[in-house]
Amino acid sequence: MTLKLYNTKTRSKEIFTPIDAKNVRMYVCGPTVYDYAHIGNARPVIVFDVLFRLLRHFYGADHVTYARNITDIEDKIIARAAKEGRTIRDLTEETAKVYEDDVAALGALVPTLVPRATDHVAEMLTLIDTLVEKGHAYAAEGHVLFDVTSMADYGKLSGRSIDDMIAGARVEVAPYKKNPMDFVLWKPSSDIEPGWDSAYGRGRPGWHIECSAMIEAHMGTTIDIHGGGIDLVFPHHENEVAQSVCAHGEPLANFWMHNGFLQVEGEKMSKSLGNFRTIHELLDEWPGEVLRLQMLQSHYRQPIDWTERSGKEAQGTLDRWYALTDGVEATKEAPEGVLKAISDDLNAPGAIAELHKLASAGDGAGLKTGAQLLGFLEGTAEAWEAAKLNRSSVDPMVVEALLAERTKARAAKDFAASDRIRDELKAMGVEIMDGAEGTTWTITK
Ligand code: AMP
Ligand code: ZN
């Protein structure tokens, strides 16, 4: 089966062929660690985790390298650490740890590599030196800037001309810039700011150079896939391309992939609107698997609306899937329909529709294998019930006591009392099922 992926670079769906099938390389821009990540940040994590799993399926788990970096030097980090009166290291370590735990709870595999920017400043400086030597960058007042007019193709990835950019963007005009679109590779640090000694003075790297240098250090000059959210196309990815291509004379990535944006209950997420939801707090309310299913129910390039309602629906779906696959072994072959959908530019909604078909047909083994390809149904039904129970206010002792009462009422043919107890449980968020082996119950939302 062929894998087709939409490539931002060519604005078309293309057949994916890796440079080296023994080492397929993907890099996704990771978090800037100064605050809890929001649910929008979970989207690239989940989308590219699905792609990571698919690449492992096609090329073998040992033949895929997936890097997701940690940006642990940036002005927002410096400002936050100063505000909280703590060291940068302390802030970034703690935030990175929370992030890693939270995304693991979303069912995301640990990437092969998790490079940190502060471990690669030497490589960034080497890259900056190369750009200066080749005439693509210049030093000015303690800064080093990339000269956008030195690259004929600048703007190609995002499809903008330099004139459009100047007209459309709020670019930082600074006296030391030759052109307003020139971007910072290196900037000076004051005595109280973190800094590294360099030929350009004591300073720190700009954000874009971090990714270019880490990609080169770990994966070489050209990788197969580079990903991130759609907001990163310009300027971040455009600038990564400019730096890497001008330094090495080769493309940075063959495929560029971008996920669409997430909104919450129909509105853009923002702190001022009060609808800013972190992954961390949502995980207190929902099992991570619910958030994952919600996220994959829309195609990754489309915008997505996160709602309570879609959470309830996703939880109900997982209830059914877990009930159907309890104790079932996954088959070896991934179901054709699921694989076909997901291989067509990660059509996760199509793959989920196939899973629903398998569920309707009662094919528990097919359902489990297909679901696991997407990172679902990896735990037991028991663990799933526990994950829901942990997040609810339901007391299992109370449920059991009511069920015992109901059994008594039924034995006495007091069906009115039996129904009353069922309704009472329902109001508590407990649904009961009478089966051959007695009555079982599950938490609903
Ligand atoms: P940031 O920490 O803002 O650099 O974002 C980390 C990742 O999350 C990047 O790949 C962003 O493109 C992505 N991202 C940020 N906000 C959203 C959103 N609302 N919806 C989807 N992706 C987002
Ligand atoms: Zn990046």
Side-chain angles (χ1 to χ4, degrees), residues 121-122 124-126 128-129 139 142-144 185-189 195-205:
V121 177
M124 296 175 207
L125 281 166
T126 306
I128 294 172
D129 289 343
H143 294 74
V144 183
L185 303 175
W186 187 259
K187 60 182 156 195
S189 290
W196 287 260
D197 290 325
S198 81
Y200 316 100
R202 184 175 172 279
R204 60 189 189 278

Side-chain angles (χ1 to χ4, degrees), residues 198-212:
S198 81
Y200 316 100
R202 184 175 172 279
R204 60 189 189 278
W207 173 36
H208 317 304
I209 199 76
E210 295 180 3
C211 291
S212 285

